[in-house]
Amino acid sequence: MSASEDEIEMYRELFTSFDIDGNGKIDANELDIGLRNAGMNRCRESIIKMIDDVDTDNDHELDFDEFLNLIQSEQLTGLFEGEMTQALEWQQSTVGLQSIYGQCPTPPETEESVKTGLARLQIELEGIKKKKGFNQALQKCPHLIDDDFLLMFLRTEVFHAGRAAQRLVTYWDKRIEIFGEAKAFMRLTLDEALADDSVALSLGYLRPTDQSDSTGRAILFMDFSQEGKADYTSFSLIRTVWYAIHVALEDENAQKEGIVIIVKSSDSLRQCSIKTRKELARNMQGALPFRLGCFQICHPPSFINIVLNIVRLLTPKKLRNRVKKHKGTHEEVIDSLAIYGIPKSAVPDIWGGDLNLEGHSEWLEARRSIENGRY
């Protein structure tokens, strides 16, 4: 299968992410690590066979051309198709929007169940030895770690205290990495932790719509076409993603039911940044206290399958199977989204919906007023 120059450039960036030691070759250990990071646990013999099937010079490693052959091989495509088939069978066996994304239903909450859950969470936290970031947060910003904050993590893990404790510890490690120690312990507001991110914030890369689907999931809009349109760092862009998600989680229903993200794809393959997508996945998975329902990709471009295949190699299995594509006229896409309980009011106006994308700067100013009044 031939590939365009833009496709080859994307594959080369992907190759670099697998080539851990940077020697221009991918050996069995590096391929194994890359696949495991994407949730593909393959036995050693299977990894070696994948390499040998495309290893034309018999050195038991993959150069870029051999890697390209592997990426385009039927074997790797078969792995993805098998996962998608399983996900589809699950969805067809569910009834109603509550479980259509394959998520466990949230348990009913009472004052007693919340109290018990928080107590169990504290016990689990005490049992985790390596929690430097969390301990720093307890010392520097204890006011941010109140019961309402802890409850978000319990709700994310459906009141499984052990998993909630691990997510909470990971959250603070990631927060310190992303924001730096100077701002990690500030409030996640526009004038505090995000004070230096005005350029990335102005893009509206991920923004809340202030709308919910019919089951209470918060709806956000993600615009990949904004990548590269301003001078910002990867961490600055990731900080804006964290901010948008935290804003959405101010709604208690979103904490319980989760989040759905409507996606506008990049305008071209050349605009796609493998590094940015990889960093986003790494800094969202297992840390932020939210339940991802689905990425709803609207009006996908012709190259979307190429992008999705690459993204699948960079993201865990649970995430890469939560993708829906909606094609057709604006009316057909709006009707398709409605099947998932997404109202027209949450669909951007560029696609015939009611969400005004030009109003992002006004939304930011409204948020600033809310935050300044609150704190």
Side-chain angles (χ1 to χ4, degrees):
M1 182 187 299
S2 60
S4 68
E5 290 184 9
D6 288 346
E7 291 172 26
I8 290 175
E9 187 62 31
M10 285 192 71
Y11 288 136
R12 192 175 295 281
E13 194 173 346
L14 179 63
F15 175 84
T16 300
S17 73
F18 275 77
D19 181 17
I20 298 173
D21 61 11
N23 70 344
K25 295 269 192 175
I26 297 175
D27 60 23
N29 288 331
E30 292 172 320
L31 184 59
D32 184 26
I33 291 171
L35 293 177
R36 286 183 185 277
N37 287 341
M40 295 183 186
N41 297 321
R42 314 293 294 174
C43 67
R44 181 74 176 183
E45 291 75 15
S46 175
I47 295 291
I48 292 174
K49 185 178 187 304
M50 292 175 73
I51 291 177
D52 288 346
D53 285 346
V54 294
D55 182 19
T56 56
D57 56 9
N58 298 316
D59 63 352
H60 307 298
E61 295 181 321
L62 299 178
D63 59 23
F64 177 69
D65 289 337
E66 293 165 340
F67 178 76
L68 192 58
N69 289 334
L70 174 62
I71 291 299
Q72 297 176 324
S73 70
E74 293 183 2
Q75 184 177 3
L76 204 58
T77 300
L79 288 176
F80 291 141
E81 289 179 349
E83 287 183 357
M84 295 302 291
T85 298
Q86 290 177 358
L88 182 60
E89 288 174 350
W90 171 272
Q91 292 161 13
Q92 290 174 340
S93 69
T94 61
V95 179
L97 285 171
Q98 182 67 29
S99 56
I100 198 169
Y101 297 129
Q103 294 177 307
C104 296
T106 54
E109 293 180 16
T110 65
E111 183 177 345
E112 184 61 30
S113 68
V114 169
K115 183 178 178 181
T116 300
L118 289 170
R120 289 175 176 170
L121 176 58
Q122 292 295 343
I123 292 172
E124 293 290 342
L125 284 169
E126 290 172 4
I128 298 176
K129 295 181 179 179
K130 294 182 178 181
K131 51 187 178 196
K132 180 181 178 181
F134 177 69
N135 286 336
Q136 285 182 280
L138 285 177
Q139 294 174 354
K140 297 184 177 182
C141 58
H143 57 287
L144 297 183
I145 312 177
D146 57 14
D147 285 351
D148 288 338
F149 179 78
L150 297 175
L151 191 53
M152 290 196 299
F153 291 85
L154 280 172
R155 286 168 171 161
T156 300
E157 299 296 349
V158 200
F159 275 74
H160 188 292
R163 292 198 299 264
Q166 188 56 61
R167 181 178 288 269
L168 179 59
V169 169
T170 302
Y171 170 92
W172 281 107
D173 288 341
K174 291 291 185 184
R175 181 159 165 165
I176 293 169
E177 178 186 353
I178 295 167
F179 287 84
E181 291 201 16
K183 292 189 175 180
F185 309 110
M186 295 179 177
R187 293 184 177 90
L188 294 193
T189 63
L190 296 174
D191 288 337
E192 292 192 36
L194 281 294
D196 296 328
D197 299 304
S198 58
V199 173
L201 282 164
S202 69
L203 297 174
Y205 185 70
L206 179 67
R207 66 186 85 173
T209 66
D210 298 326
Q211 302 284 324
S212 301
D213 71 9
S214 56
T215 62
R217 294 183 184 90
I219 302 172
L220 286 78
F221 174 66
M222 189 166 223
D223 189 354
F224 284 122
S225 71
Q226 294 298 322
E227 286 182 355
K229 289 189 175 180
D231 186 15
Y232 55 82
T233 65
S234 294
F235 270 168
S236 182
L237 193 66
I238 292 169
R239 288 194 289 269
T240 70
V241 170
W242 270 54
Y243 175 72
I245 290 174
H246 277 79
V247 170
L249 290 174
E250 291 177 1
D251 181 354
E252 188 174 295
N253 285 327
Q255 296 176 24
K256 295 177 179 178
E257 305 300 336
I259 285 173
V260 173
I261 300 178
I262 297 176
V263 177
K264 182 180 186 297
S265 300
S266 303
D267 294 329
S268 67
L269 267 178
R270 189 175 296 276
Q271 188 183 32
C272 298
S273 171
I274 296 296
K275 180 181 179 181
T276 299
R277 309 289 168 88
K278 185 176 182 179
E279 285 297 305
L280 273 174
R282 186 178 70 84
N283 287 293
M284 290 175 66
Q285 178 72 4
L288 286 167
F290 77 103
R291 308 175 74 198
L292 176 65
C294 190
F295 288 104
Q296 303 280 2
I297 303 177
C298 298
H299 299 286
S302 58
F303 55 81
I304 189 62
N305 288 333
I306 297 171
V307 175
L308 287 179
N309 279 343
I310 291 176
V311 169
R312 284 166 179 158
L313 282 170
L314 299 175
T315 54
K317 180 178 179 179
K318 183 182 290 186
L319 282 181
R320 63 173 172 266
N321 285 333
R322 290 185 177 171
V323 177
K324 308 293 180 188
K325 293 181 289 185
H326 304 273
K327 302 177 181 180
T329 64
H330 290 342
E331 291 76 12
E332 288 170 338
V333 168
I334 289 173
D335 289 344
S336 181
L337 290 170
I339 295 173
Y340 293 90
I342 297 175
K344 183 180 179 182
S345 56
V347 180
D349 49 10
I350 57 173
W351 297 329
D354 299 329
L355 179 65
N356 179 17
L357 294 183
E358 296 297 325
H360 182 60
S361 58
E362 288 80 2
W363 180 86
L364 287 173
E365 285 307 310
R367 279 298 307 176
R368 180 172 278 106
S369 297
I370 291 171
E371 292 166 359
N372 290 340
R374 181 183 299 166
Y375 302 119

